[in-house]
Amino acid sequence: MTIPDPIFRPRFAITRASHVVLTVSDIAKSRAFYVDTLGFVVSDEDKATLYLRGLEEGCHHSLVLKSGTEPICERLGMRVLTEDDRDLAQAHFSKTGLPTRWVDVPFQGRTLHTADVAGTPLEICATMATKPRRIMDFELFHGACPQRIDHFQVLTHAVRPALEFYMAMGFRLSEYIVNDGTEDLRAVFLQRKGNPHDIVFVNNAGPRLHHAAFTIPEVYHLMYICDLLGRNGFGSNVEWGPGRHFGPGYARFVYLRDPDGHRIELFTNHYQTIDMEDEPIRWQASDLNTGRWGPQPPARWLQEASTFAGAAIYQPEKMEPEPAYAR
């Protein structure tokens, strides 16, 4: 497979995956799940919205929960380095023929709403209100002790166009998965912040959000949070794991479904991909079962995901089953 050349000095600097905006049916129940059980920090809240962050995050929010009639993902947030970068991003998306508009978003600087070539709804900002980092406030640690947002995984049949689009903006390909014996792309793992990925695109009906992922401090938190979820009435929300990714990222993980079915991954940290010598790692789908222990992911992990706001899901009449790879 021909991989686009990395662009080490793009025209504008996207720095990282920043935040995700989800709608939920019951704010109180979502608060019991995310705050009282998982341990997210509340930055602000009202009757209709929860703004949450991890313990090490100084920016106002990485997870926004909004009251709504249907559980959807409204936006995936990306940060740029400066306001000039934000304006250059607007010009780039507009020139590419993608919709752009400026919006006012609480606790964020001037924000750009747009979409990528796969149909993923994005919001891009350069600044956000700050709150004290709680990483040294050990008395506040509970549940899984979520640290920070790390990445998103998006389902789409536009994997190759997404690869080319994001690499043209300076993202680097850290790993990719192909069908056995071919160069047909199953998944691409793209990063800006120097670890394996900020956004992942996986071949499946979409565009849909498969999961948003947050780091946790230690492996034992994976087991402990499952125990606590069971004690707090959320035992059936544990979907897959705890386990180990014998594939992209290599991390230990657990996947959870929130009360509205949105999927969250909690995982221990993974390796760095900062140096220019780092070459993308190629996986065949069958490689990902080598060394696997524990159960395969359930069928719903492979096929279910959160609908994006305003997105029409493309689902061909006959789609070959997806392999049991995970990230």
Side-chain angles (χ1 to χ4, degrees):
M1 184 188 77
T2 302
I3 298 171
D5 292 331
I7 298 175
F8 294 109
R9 292 183 174 88
R11 290 186 60 244
F12 56 94
I14 295 177
T15 58
R16 65 179 178 91
S18 169
H19 57 281
V20 58
V21 183
L22 306 174
T23 62
V24 297
S25 59
D26 187 329
I27 287 288
K29 191 168 185 179
S30 292
R31 197 185 198 284
F33 180 83
Y34 284 103
V35 179
D36 301 338
T37 304
L38 296 189
F40 279 87
V41 177
V42 178
S43 292
D44 279 283
E45 64 181 314
D46 56 37
K47 291 182 179 179
T49 312
L50 267 175
Y51 295 91
L52 307 179
R53 69 188 193 278
L55 290 158
E56 74 175 43
E57 291 178 309
C59 291
H60 185 272
H61 52 266
S62 56
L63 175 60
V64 181
L65 305 176
K66 301 170 65 174
S67 181
T69 56
E70 296 182 14
I72 59 174
C73 175
E74 287 195 356
R75 298 276 165 180
L76 301 183
M78 292 283 181
R79 287 291 294 271
V80 291
L81 187 60
T82 69
E83 293 184 356
D84 287 344
D85 290 307
R86 179 204 57 201
D87 294 341
L88 289 169
Q90 188 276 336
H92 174 81
F93 279 82
S94 180
K95 185 177 180 180
T96 308
L98 296 165
T100 63
R101 65 188 180 99
W102 296 109
V103 297
D104 293 323
V105 178
F107 308 107
Q108 294 174 198
R110 193 180 187 209
T111 297
L112 173 67
H113 275 187
T114 185
D116 65 21
V117 293
T120 310
L122 301 172
E123 67 177 38
I124 299 172
C125 64
T127 61
M128 184 182 288
T130 59
K131 289 279 190 175
R133 298 181 192 274
R134 311 315 294 262
I135 193 66
M136 296 292 287
D137 297 335
F138 304 117
E139 71 278 6
L140 300 180
F141 283 36
H142 71 277
C145 303
Q147 304 289 286
R148 60 172 173 80
I149 195 166
D150 184 77
H151 66 267
F152 314 118
Q153 180 169 302
V154 175
L155 304 183
T156 177
H157 285 304
V159 174
R160 178 73 198 196
L163 169 66
E164 295 173 353
F165 181 78
Y166 278 84
M167 288 195 71
M169 295 191 295
F171 282 73
R172 292 170 62 186
L173 180 66
S174 57
E175 309 190 49
Y176 63 101
I177 304 170
V178 296
N179 292 330
D180 286 12
T182 77
E183 294 302 315
D184 297 335
L185 282 174
R186 286 284 191 172
V188 294
F189 299 76
L190 295 152
Q191 63 89 7
R192 279 293 295 166
K193 66 181 179 295
N195 68 10
H197 34 275
D198 286 277
I199 192 164
V200 180
F201 292 93
V202 176
N203 185 31
N204 206 321
R208 296 177 292 159
L209 175 66
H210 186 269
H211 69 267
F214 295 83
T215 62
I216 61 171
E218 305 289 348
V219 173
Y220 76 83
H221 287 101
L222 296 173
M223 294 300 299
Y224 174 67
I225 195 57
C226 292
D227 289 340
L228 191 59
L229 285 161
R231 175 61 64 89
N232 288 3
F234 296 112
S236 62
N237 297 68
V238 179
E239 182 180 45
W240 183 32
R244 156 80 89 167
H245 286 306
F246 282 92
Y250 308 115
R252 295 178 175 89
F253 68 88
V254 66
Y255 288 93
L256 312 174
R257 302 294 286 271
D258 79 1
D260 289 276
H262 298 301
R263 184 180 290 108
I264 299 294
E265 180 187 18
L266 302 175
F267 75 107
T268 54
N269 216 339
H270 37 209
Y271 65 96
Q272 293 183 330
T273 56
I274 294 173
D275 301 317
M276 66 180 300
E277 295 90 350
D278 286 319
E279 291 290 333
I281 299 171
R282 178 184 181 276
W283 300 90
Q284 292 196 129
S286 61
D287 293 338
L288 308 182
N289 291 318
T290 302
R292 181 188 295 279
W293 50 266
Q296 298 282 342
R300 68 176 188 169
W301 186 94
L302 296 170
Q303 298 298 340
E304 294 179 8
S306 297
T307 303
F308 284 126
I313 298 176
Y314 172 64
Q315 173 71 66
E317 293 183 4
K318 293 183 179 180
M319 186 175 71
E320 61 178 300
E322 296 298 309
Y325 56 74
R327 182 62 229 115

